[in-house]
């Protein structure tokens, strides 16, 4: 998609559709001049258009414009307008218009700021995304925008670049999450990581099974042993142009390329969705793709433990006891609670590599979906100040996050008579006991755990997004790194 700034007026822009925003409860006239002002007033009076988020009204051959269509896009209440609302409104407009084969679009904002331009470019890229990379239908290219132009001064070009870098990174994540598990094996995920790293100048290392055995990653390897697909621990390092920093941010992402549940097998119904159990890992890789280009002022190390959780004669059994990299023994009471088993070895390794701050993203529990539905990411921490930093990044990026409790009392839910700890708690508070399990391996480093089981996959398409992978987490990670306090 061609994306660029244009220095012209709304009237003179030559385009398939000129998009302007309008708000709920707007006072005064719309900022557009001429006949358009009257038309917008008319559709509002007639209540054909109210300005609600994701609404769209299209005028054909608008008088006084070079554009073939004028599209008024609802952006919600004027007093709640922010870059997140703009991103959503643009994405919805893009989806509505490309659905009518209007593929060369231009956005006119009344007084564009840098943050708005970035959000608009992201919105265009995210709205254009379709999870159809494996469809062979030639018509699918018809479903893509050709160009997205924004009216604005050339001085805002860096904001366009930032939007493109982040939007493309998030779509890169979505493509990986959408790849089925027969194609996206742990080694294939590692190959994506390697390819991306060499393209963007990052250092990428992949630890194989032998190396992990040597190191003693018994917890991760126990999960991997049931699969014919070998595991991989992907490690990517970024340092700012000025050299490594004292703070080192560790981003850890769950990379279970398929989760059958293992011997504690999942029901057949809906199991196909478990290809998205590597969405945390993919979000970390997408974030690194953007970080490599935006060059934030903090060192960042990405760690993605990639395994397939299978059944079979080699698969681990309930009751097995494994020894993790940090030496703690774990009784595997449920082989379907595998995410935490691979994450703890990656977390220990991150600490060994010198990470001073840790954030992990994982499709960790069904319980977080019960608690928060598909709207909020569940956030857990051992350090309130660090969580505040992560939450403020999430807020700025329109990724909704809700803090969950992690009081020490929950530790009582994790007791094993035979090992240092079991990999599951009892029936209650499943997302919290999962987080508590991870916390036991954080060695008091500031750490935030993001449970994205409810937010990484969109079950029903929305006006602003296709069904399928959401790419959640990427923007928060990138924002966290680029706004790192120095
Ligand atoms: N990958 C699943 C969690 C999940 C569930 C992700 C639904 C996305 C949608 C995870 O490995 C898992 O199976 N967790 C179990 C834990 C239980 C055995 C304690 C769960 O949530 O049921
Ligand atoms: Zn599982
Ligand atoms: Zn899982």
């Amino acid at each position: 998609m061609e994306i660029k700034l244009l220095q012209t007026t709304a009237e003179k822009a030559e385009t398939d559709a000129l998009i302007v925003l309008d708000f709920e409860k707007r006072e005064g006239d719309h900022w557009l001049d001429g006949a358009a002002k009257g038309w917008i007033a008319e559709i509002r009076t007639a209540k054909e258009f109210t300005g609600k988020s994701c609404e769209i009204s299209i005028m054909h051959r608008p008088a006084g414009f070079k554009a073939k269509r004028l599209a008024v896009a609802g952006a919600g209440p004027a007093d709640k307008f922010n870059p997140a609302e703009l991103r959503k409104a643009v994405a919805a407009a893009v989806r509505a218009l490309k659905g009518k084969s209007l593929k060369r679009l231009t956005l006119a904002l009344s007084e564009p700021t840098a943050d708005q331009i970035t959000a608009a470019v992201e919105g265009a890229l995210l709205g254009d995304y379709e999870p159809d990379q494996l469809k062979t239908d030639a018509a699918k290219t018809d479903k893509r925008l050709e160009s997205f132009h924004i009216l604005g001064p050339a001085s805002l070009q860096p904001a366009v670049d930032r939007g493109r870098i982040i939007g493309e990174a998030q779509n890169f994540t979505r493509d990986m999450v959408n790849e089925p598990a027969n194609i996206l094996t742990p080694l294939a995920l590692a190959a994506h990581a390697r390819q991306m790293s060499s393209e963007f100048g990052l250092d990428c290392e992949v630890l194989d099974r032998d190396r992990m055995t040597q190191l003693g990653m018994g917890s991760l390897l126990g999960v991997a042993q049931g699969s014919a697909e070998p595991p991989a621990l992907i490690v990517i390092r970024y340092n700012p142009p000025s050299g490594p920093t004292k703070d080192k941010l560790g981003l850890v992402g769950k990379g279970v390329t398929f989760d059958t549940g293992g011997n504690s097998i999942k029901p057949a119904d809906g199991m196909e969705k478990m290809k998205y159990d590597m969405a945390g890992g993919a979000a970390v890789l997408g974030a690194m793709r953007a970080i490599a280009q935006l060059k934030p002022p903090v060192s960042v190390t990405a760690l993605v433990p990639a395994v397939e959780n299978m059944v079979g004669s080699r698969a681990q059994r309930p009751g097995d006891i494994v020894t993790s990299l940090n030496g703690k023994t774990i009784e595997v009471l449920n082989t379907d609670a595998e995410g935490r088993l691979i994450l703890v070895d990656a977390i220990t390794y991150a600490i060994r590599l010198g990470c001073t701050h840790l954030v992990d993203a994982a499709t960790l529990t069904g319980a977080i979906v019960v608690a928060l539905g598909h709207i909020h990411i569940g956030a857990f921490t051992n350090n309130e100040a660090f969580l505040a930093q992560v939450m403020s990044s999430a807020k700025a990026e329109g990724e909704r996050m809700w803090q969950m409790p992690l009081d020490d009392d929950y530790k009582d839910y994790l007791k094993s008579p035979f090992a240092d700890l079991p990999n599951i708690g009892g029936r209650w508070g499943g997302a919290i006991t999962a987080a508590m399990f991870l916390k036991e391996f954080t060695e008091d480093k500031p750490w935030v755990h993001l449970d994205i089981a409810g937010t990484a996959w969109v079950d029903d398409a929305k006006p602003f997004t296709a069904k399928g992978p959401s790419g959640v987490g990427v923007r928060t990670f990138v924002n966290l790194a680029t706004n790192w306090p120095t």
Side-chain angles (χ1 to χ4, degrees):
M1 187 195 310
E2 181 197 77
I3 301 178
K4 66 179 188 192
L5 284 165
L6 281 188
Q7 285 85 51
T8 184
T9 62
E11 288 76 8
K12 289 198 187 122
E14 291 192 39
T15 181
D16 287 350
L18 178 76
I19 305 167
V20 294
L21 301 182
D22 200 3
F23 303 99
E24 255 176 298
K25 292 180 245 152
R26 165 173 56 76
E27 286 167 16
D29 286 337
H30 194 273
W31 62 269
L32 272 184
D33 284 331
K37 196 193 287 294
W39 171 61
I40 295 174
E42 184 184 327
I43 57 175
R44 292 195 67 117
T45 315
K47 300 219 163 58
E48 182 181 325
F49 177 87
T50 64
K52 251 195 1 228
S53 181
C54 302
E55 223 182 338
I56 192 151
S57 188
I58 301 169
M59 184 188 196
H60 294 223
R61 293 271 166 214
F65 289 85
K66 288 217 170 117
K68 293 183 193 149
R69 306 282 181 269
L70 175 60
V72 188
D79 56 347
K80 296 216 171 95
F81 186 64
N82 58 24
E85 291 300 327
L86 173 61
R87 185 185 296 108
K88 194 166 139 186
V90 169
V94 162
R95 295 191 69 70
L97 295 167
K98 72 172 182 159
K100 298 183 187 300
S101 287
L102 299 165
K103 297 195 284 185
R104 297 178 316 125
L105 308 181
T106 302
L107 174 70
L109 296 164
S110 65
E111 286 159 5
T113 64
D115 283 352
Q116 287 180 0
I117 298 279
T118 298
V121 171
E122 290 168 0
L125 287 163
L126 299 175
D128 196 40
Y129 182 83
E130 301 292 342
D132 61 1
Q133 71 261 51
L134 292 176
K135 282 188 183 277
T136 56
D137 182 0
K140 77 179 191 185
T141 52
D142 285 353
K143 294 195 199 142
R144 294 292 190 286
L145 285 195
E146 276 168 30
S147 62
F148 182 76
H149 296 164
I150 308 183
L151 305 188
S155 60
L156 288 173
Q157 186 59 39
V160 172
D161 296 341
R162 183 179 166 91
R164 183 192 267 284
I165 288 168
I166 295 173
E168 288 180 349
Q170 191 169 336
N171 285 344
F172 168 71
T173 291
R174 294 165 93 185
D175 270 343
M176 286 187 286
V177 175
N178 195 45
E179 276 194 1
N182 62 322
I183 296 174
L184 192 88
T185 59
L187 291 187
L189 187 62
H192 280 310
R194 275 211 185 91
Q195 154 66 29
M196 180 278 287
S197 297
S198 78
E199 193 178 340
F200 295 98
L202 294 166
D203 171 62
C204 178
E205 188 190 352
V206 178
L207 281 64
D208 64 9
R209 194 192 318 252
D210 287 348
R211 181 76 187 117
M212 291 190 268
T213 307
Q214 225 172 38
L215 288 163
M217 298 187 171
S219 187
L220 187 158
L221 291 168
V223 178
Q225 76 187 30
S227 174
E229 297 295 341
L233 176 59
I234 303 163
V235 181
I236 302 177
R237 293 177 179 84
Y238 161 82
N239 285 310
S242 54
T245 54
K246 210 163 110 273
D247 284 349
K248 192 195 264 193
L249 175 61
L251 301 177
V252 182
K254 174 176 174 181
V256 174
T257 58
F258 197 77
D259 184 8
T260 63
N263 278 319
S264 313
I265 197 165
K266 287 182 180 297
D269 201 26
M271 199 200 271
E272 73 284 352
K273 256 179 70 182
M274 279 301 118
K275 70 173 184 177
Y276 91 94
D277 213 18
M278 35 57 72
V284 165
L285 297 179
M288 293 309 280
R289 189 185 195 270
I291 284 169
Q293 298 168 78
L294 295 170
K295 306 202 184 307
V298 64
S299 294
V300 185
T301 301
L303 299 103
V304 180
V307 305
E308 190 180 49
N309 189 24
M310 297 296 276
V311 279
S313 65
R314 296 209 119 96
Q316 69 182 342
R317 299 137 289 249
D320 283 5
I321 294 179
V322 294
T323 305
S324 65
L325 177 60
N326 87 345
K328 285 190 211 273
T329 55
I330 303 163
E331 187 185 9
V332 181
L333 288 178
N334 190 313
T335 62
D336 196 11
E338 85 297 342
R340 60 200 78 179
L341 293 172
I342 66 168
L343 286 169
V344 294
D345 277 348
I347 286 171
T348 302
Y349 195 62
I351 296 170
R352 296 224 178 139
L353 293 179
C355 292
T356 58
H357 296 70
L358 299 164
V359 187
D360 76 76
T363 46
L364 203 61
T365 66
I368 201 68
V369 195
V370 174
L372 300 176
H374 300 289
I375 311 295
H376 283 85
I377 296 167
F380 302 77
T381 192
N382 60 2
N383 184 306
E384 297 296 328
F386 187 42
L387 177 65
Q389 208 179 316
V390 174
M391 296 257 266
S392 110
S393 288
K395 182 151 202 239
E397 296 295 338
E399 293 195 320
R400 281 176 286 182
M401 222 171 248
W402 198 261
Q403 184 177 8
M404 298 285 291
L406 204 54
D407 309 54
D408 279 338
D409 308 61
Y410 288 107
K411 233 196 277 183
D412 295 341
Y413 290 25
L414 289 174
K415 291 255 180 329
S416 162
F418 311 119
D420 295 337
L421 67 168
N423 76 328
I424 55 168
R427 181 160 157 68
W428 310 113
I432 307 171
T433 47
M436 201 68 203
F437 182 87
L438 299 180
K439 180 170 176 254
E440 292 298 300
F441 294 81
T442 57
E443 301 177 27
D444 293 327
K445 303 279 178 240
W447 156 80
V448 170
H449 157 57
L450 304 175
D451 194 334
I452 58 170
T455 46
W457 189 264
V458 178
D459 283 316
D460 306 303
K462 305 261 165 27
F464 56 90
T465 190
K467 177 189 170 86
S470 69
V472 77
V474 173
R475 295 204 307 274
T476 295
F477 284 153
V478 174
N479 186 294
L480 181 68
T482 55
N483 290 299
W484 196 263
T486 47

